[in-house]
Amino acid sequence: MKLLATCTGCSDIISVTHSTSHSSSMAVSTVLCNSHTLSLGSTVSVSLGFTTDTGVIQYGYVKSIERMIPDNTYRITINDVMTRAVDYFIAVADQDDVYEVDHIAAETLIANVLGFAGITNFGYQGTSFTFGINSKVRVDLVSSYDFCKQIADILAWHLYADTTGKIWFIDRKPYVMITDTSIGTITDTSIVTASYTVSERDLRNRIVARGTEGVHAEASAVSPYLPAGFYKTVVIATEYLDETSNTQKSCDYNLILLNRLTESMQLTVLGNHNYLARSVMTVNSASLGINSDWYIYGAEHNWG
């Protein structure tokens, strides 16, 4: 069994690094090789693994090509397809031509705005959440991604690109959910280093939302991890909330997301192409005293 890496248009690959995270706008790969046939904007698929077990970890576009002397090698940077939404800034010369819409489902609104960036390979779950009830939603002077991310944050939903190049807008929380299935088990035999942390740093037990004039709501709950009567507050302030019941829903959704203790592990393990952000794996470590499922919040791959 030998290491194996492939990248569209690259030959004699020397090393590959790959980074993916729940909180990042996109996944990024860097391929170091001796030769290539790529150009900026080329569509690329990157696979990592071994001769007996290889899988795609990245699908996207070439963003930069660097030639290095005297090694005569090339460093190629690849972003996933979300880069189109990140790079596409929505601005029209005539303000009368600004995209405005009312009474539109969240998933349809996001599909339309991603479409401005030429993204049509889009999947979603129905939200039952309508925007533009009392005033039109106006989309102007914002990147396609930033606008869609604002909408996702209001609902406490998630927007990301998968390894096939499809953009998803779904109810994906950054922790193990009841519908999740583990992709495999990590044991002490494959763990090189490990650390475990428990923290209330990211916990928020009071959510305040402010929308258009006169529209506001809040939600709160007592936390057993904070002093009695103490609240850590986060504010959602956006013109896209223009109706009280939806504003209250946004508070309730984000309270469920944020009012929780953060348990985290950092593991250095033997390489596996399945270990990517948004997957769930089982950690069975006698050293840590842990045997349970964990959500992969972020992953860094180093192949060489």
Side-chain angles (χ1 to χ4, degrees):
M1 182 173 66
K2 296 181 179 180
L3 286 169
L4 180 64
T6 62
C7 176
T8 308
C10 293
S11 302
D12 299 326
I13 295 175
I14 300 166
S15 67
V16 179
T17 61
H18 175 74
S19 176
T20 178
S21 170
H22 180 97
S23 59
S24 296
S25 59
M26 68 191 104
V28 179
S29 292
T30 302
V31 178
L32 184 66
C33 62
N34 285 319
S35 62
H36 71 90
T37 58
L38 298 171
S39 302
L40 293 179
S42 294
T43 303
V44 169
S45 180
V46 180
S47 296
L48 289 184
F50 302 89
T51 50
T52 56
D53 185 19
T54 305
V56 176
I57 63 163
Q58 175 97 39
Y59 180 89
Y61 302 104
V62 174
K63 297 297 290 182
S64 71
I65 300 172
E66 178 184 1
R67 184 178 180 182
M68 293 173 289
I69 302 296
D71 297 340
N72 201 28
T73 57
Y74 298 87
R75 180 180 288 115
I76 299 168
T77 302
I78 303 138
N79 293 354
D80 73 27
V81 296
M82 191 67 82
T83 191
R84 295 188 65 157
V86 172
D87 291 344
Y88 189 86
F89 192 78
I90 300 167
V92 295
D94 185 351
Q95 293 192 36
D96 292 335
D97 292 334
V98 170
Y99 176 71
E100 292 182 324
V101 66
D102 57 27
H103 293 86
I104 186 170
E107 58 271 26
T108 305
L109 178 59
I110 283 186
N112 291 349
V113 175
L114 289 176
F116 297 157
I119 296 172
T120 57
N121 191 7
F122 176 66
Y124 63 88
Q125 294 174 334
T127 62
S128 300
F129 200 103
T130 301
F131 284 91
I133 294 176
N134 293 318
S135 59
K136 288 187 177 182
V137 175
R138 184 180 175 91
V139 185
D140 188 30
L141 302 181
V142 65
S143 75
S144 176
Y145 174 79
D146 284 343
F147 176 85
C148 293
K149 182 64 164 58
Q150 287 183 63
I151 299 301
D153 288 345
I154 289 171
L155 276 67
W157 278 38
H158 190 47
L159 184 72
Y160 73 99
D162 68 15
T163 57
T164 71
K166 188 170 186 174
I167 303 291
W168 290 95
F169 175 59
I170 61 173
D171 185 14
R172 170 70 268 178
K173 300 297 189 287
Y175 47 77
V176 178
M177 301 173 68
I178 193 169
T179 56
D180 286 331
T181 301
S182 173
I183 60 172
T185 301
I186 290 179
T187 64
D188 286 329
T189 58
S190 61
I191 295 175
V192 180
T193 64
S195 66
Y196 169 80
T197 303
V198 59
S199 171
E200 50 83 13
R201 182 193 64 184
D202 297 324
L203 185 153
R204 297 293 183 272
N205 61 332
R206 180 172 179 262
I207 315 297
V208 173
R210 298 176 181 173
T212 54
E213 185 175 356
V215 176
H216 55 84
E218 70 174 282
S220 62
V222 174
S223 171
Y225 308 112
L226 299 176
F230 188 84
Y231 292 89
K232 296 176 69 176
T233 302
V234 66
V235 176
I236 302 168
T238 173
E239 62 185 298
Y240 305 128
L241 289 172
D242 65 351
E243 192 270 337
T244 300
S245 64
N246 275 351
T247 305
Q248 187 61 58
K249 287 180 183 178
S250 179
C251 289
D252 296 341
Y253 295 159
N254 277 278
L255 183 64
I256 294 171
L257 172 67
L258 300 173
N259 186 26
R260 58 181 58 243
L261 201 63
T262 299
E263 291 184 88
S264 62
M265 276 190 293
Q266 290 188 335
L267 304 176
T268 303
V269 301
L270 300 180
N272 187 315
H273 62 83
N274 292 306
Y275 298 161
L276 298 174
R278 303 174 191 89
S279 296
V280 170
M281 66 182 183
T282 304
V283 178
N284 185 357
S285 169
S287 300
L288 292 173
I290 290 172
N291 184 12
S292 56
D293 289 344
W294 288 74
Y295 180 75
I296 302 178
Y297 191 89
E300 303 278 343
H301 288 258
N302 291 282
W303 182 100

